Amino acid sequence: MAAVPQDLLDRLSTLERQVRQLTGRANIRPALNEINGGAVKIGEGGSLEVIGPTGASAFRAGQWPQDGSYGTRLGRDDGTAAWTVGGSGTDTNNMVRMWSRDLNAPARVLIMDDAFSDRFLGRPWMPLELHPTERQSYTGTNYEPAWAGRGPVWNAVAEMALNTYANTGGGQVKVTRTYNGVETTLDEWDCPANVWTSRTVTAPMDGIDFMDTVGWVIYHRAKSASQNVETRLTRAISRNTITVDETPADPVRTTTAAEAATAPAAEEQAATAAAATPALRPIDD
């Protein structure tokens, strides 16, 4: 006859207790509010979203549900956008935008990079450094500066609005930009006599880098000796591109590979992928 252990009942009791412990642990869900020792990757059209108590989206990263593009969005308590990076099917260059709280504003974007130029600020628009000279009103027949100035470039396109009055014989006006010691005439025109002539000069910042220093001069002259010519500047700003045709030509850079590698955020810059031409969207979807 087989020997029966004297502690059989104790062994059975211990075994039952261990089975109950294992069964209970198998039904316990692990904590999902902490990640240790690894990265979280969301792919194949997924996204991460934080929803507030009212159901409004406070944060979203990944694929946009409206059109399948990718981006990041920070929202306010009421669900309206505060910051967005990309997130529009027509904005494949992932523009960065800060949105105002005024939902009825025709243009809610307060701060953004440029839609068509990769290197410039889009908004806010910045003033150009231009100041009147003592020859703002002038009787000579040789070109002399009426307005002049110099300063850093922030936006992709320069825009100036001018009004010129010329006495008998009429006058002429030209606008120049000086960069790296080279003066370029942006526009030149005739002004008929005894009337105010209005002109708007628009010029992309071709071959100029962000925050490079540029000189501006508005010249004018009378066509007849001893006759007066006066030029008034009503607007001098730099602004974002409005169409792809305003995209400035790229500058010729002399930065070496070693210098580029030590620049701030070099890894992020190097990781930027080529993208199709984006378009500015005035509202957030």
Side-chain angles (χ1 to χ4, degrees):
M1 180 177 179
V4 178
Q6 297 296 317
D7 60 348
L8 180 60
L9 294 179
D10 293 336
R11 293 187 181 186
L12 288 175
S13 178
T14 301
L15 182 59
E16 288 176 349
R17 185 174 66 255
Q18 292 175 342
V19 170
R20 284 195 301 269
Q21 290 177 347
L22 291 173
T23 303
R25 290 176 180 173
N27 292 328
I28 295 175
R29 295 179 61 187
L32 300 178
N33 60 356
E34 186 175 337
I35 300 170
N36 295 316
V40 176
K41 295 184 180 180
I42 301 174
E44 298 184 5
S47 63
L48 175 66
E49 188 164 13
V50 177
I51 304 295
T54 63
S57 176
F59 171 78
R60 182 171 68 228
Q63 191 173 49
W64 245 239
Q66 293 93 336
D67 55 24
S69 61
Y70 285 80
T72 303
R73 180 184 189 276
L74 292 178
R76 298 186 173 91
D77 285 346
D78 60 359
T80 59
W83 278 97
T84 57
V85 180
S88 163
T90 57
D91 179 18
T92 54
N93 210 27
N94 281 313
M95 285 179 62
V96 177
R97 300 179 180 91
M98 176 182 175
W99 301 82
S100 77
R101 296 190 301 271
D102 186 357
L103 301 183
N104 296 318
R108 290 182 53 217
V109 180
L110 302 176
I111 299 173
M112 69 180 191
D113 50 4
D114 197 276
F116 300 112
S117 179
D118 294 339
R119 66 184 183 276
F120 285 111
L121 177 69
R123 291 184 193 168
W125 296 358
M126 304 296 285
L128 296 177
E129 288 285 347
L130 274 159
H131 309 280
T133 72
E134 62 181 3
R135 291 181 174 81
Q136 183 190 357
S137 181
Y138 172 60
T139 58
T141 56
N142 295 322
Y143 269 130
E144 289 289 343
W147 296 77
R150 66 195 305 269
V153 166
W154 305 94
N155 305 100
V157 180
E159 184 174 292
M160 304 177 197
L162 312 171
N163 290 293
T164 300
Y165 189 91
N167 286 335
T168 302
Q172 283 185 314
V173 182
K174 71 175 179 178
V175 176
T176 68
R177 178 176 63 205
T178 300
Y179 178 63
N180 282 342
V182 178
E183 186 178 55
T184 302
T185 298
L186 303 177
D187 199 358
E188 186 173 12
W189 63 96
D190 293 330
C191 301
N194 303 317
V195 295
W196 284 98
T197 299
S198 298
R199 188 85 163 193
T200 298
V201 178
T202 301
M205 304 292 186
D206 290 328
I208 300 171
D209 237 330
F210 179 67
M211 292 184 63
D212 279 358
T213 298
V214 173
W216 310 92
V217 181
I218 299 171
Y219 294 95
H220 64 180
R221 72 181 187 91
K223 288 186 177 181
S224 299
S226 302
Q227 297 298 314
N228 188 66
V229 59
E230 179 183 349
T231 299
R232 298 177 182 177
L233 180 66
T234 58
R235 183 173 71 253
I237 60 169
S238 62
R239 61 165 173 81
N240 62 284
T241 57
I242 297 175
T243 65
V244 67
D245 294 335
E246 290 186 333
T247 306
D250 290 335
V252 177
R253 295 188 174 100
T254 58
T255 303
T256 66
E259 290 171 335
T262 58
E267 295 83 359
E268 290 85 345
Q269 297 291 342
T272 301
T277 300
L280 175 62
R281 294 174 68 95
I283 61 173
D284 184 37
D285 292 330

